[in-house]
Amino acid sequence: MKKLLNISATLYEPLLLVEIAKQLAGDHFNNPLPSEINHHEWKTICASSIEVHVSGSVTPEVENGGEPVSMPFTSNFLFTCIKESKRCFQLEWGVCLS
């Protein structure tokens, strides 16, 4: 029997998280990329990561019409931005560390 589980998450300060990600990208990518490449098929990229404390609440959808229960969470997330030559930064990776 297949059962589906839907979970929604709400961040308490989502704008702060966006600003931290922008700062991560902006602070570390102002320097020009090195032009030296060791192999003709390789690309030069810059990478930068930051660990961010995130808090919010998680609410699983309850089957049978039961009352949903909201559970608070606090965890650290790791965000990584990369930049390829002559491009803007991109947020490539985000992962919960717990």
Side-chain angles (χ1 to χ4, degrees):
M1 174 189 295
K2 268 190 173 180
K3 290 189 178 186
L4 298 176
L5 177 63
N6 294 320
I7 299 174
S8 62
T10 303
L11 300 179
Y12 291 151
E13 298 183 33
L15 294 177
L16 179 61
L17 190 58
V18 169
E19 289 303 315
I20 290 171
K22 284 181 182 178
Q23 181 181 0
L24 164 69
D27 285 351
H28 296 283
F29 294 127
N30 290 331
N31 298 331
L33 292 169
S35 60
E36 181 179 321
I37 297 178
N38 295 329
H39 191 275
H40 70 280
E41 293 180 359
W42 294 355
K43 292 182 182 178
T44 302
I45 64 169
C46 286
S48 183
S49 296
I50 190 169
E51 184 177 347
V52 180
H53 181 79
V54 178
S55 58
S57 63
V58 176
T59 307
E61 187 178 293
V62 181
E63 288 187 22
N64 303 335
E67 186 71 27
V69 177
S70 181
M71 298 172 283
F73 72 89
T74 299
S75 185
N76 289 343
F77 283 75
L78 180 69
F79 295 99
T80 301
C81 289
I82 67 165
K83 179 181 179 183
E84 295 180 24
S85 35
K86 299 182 183 178
R87 290 195 181 173
C88 297
F89 76 91
Q90 292 181 333
L91 182 63
E92 286 293 322
W93 179 263
V95 63
C96 180
L97 298 177
S98 62

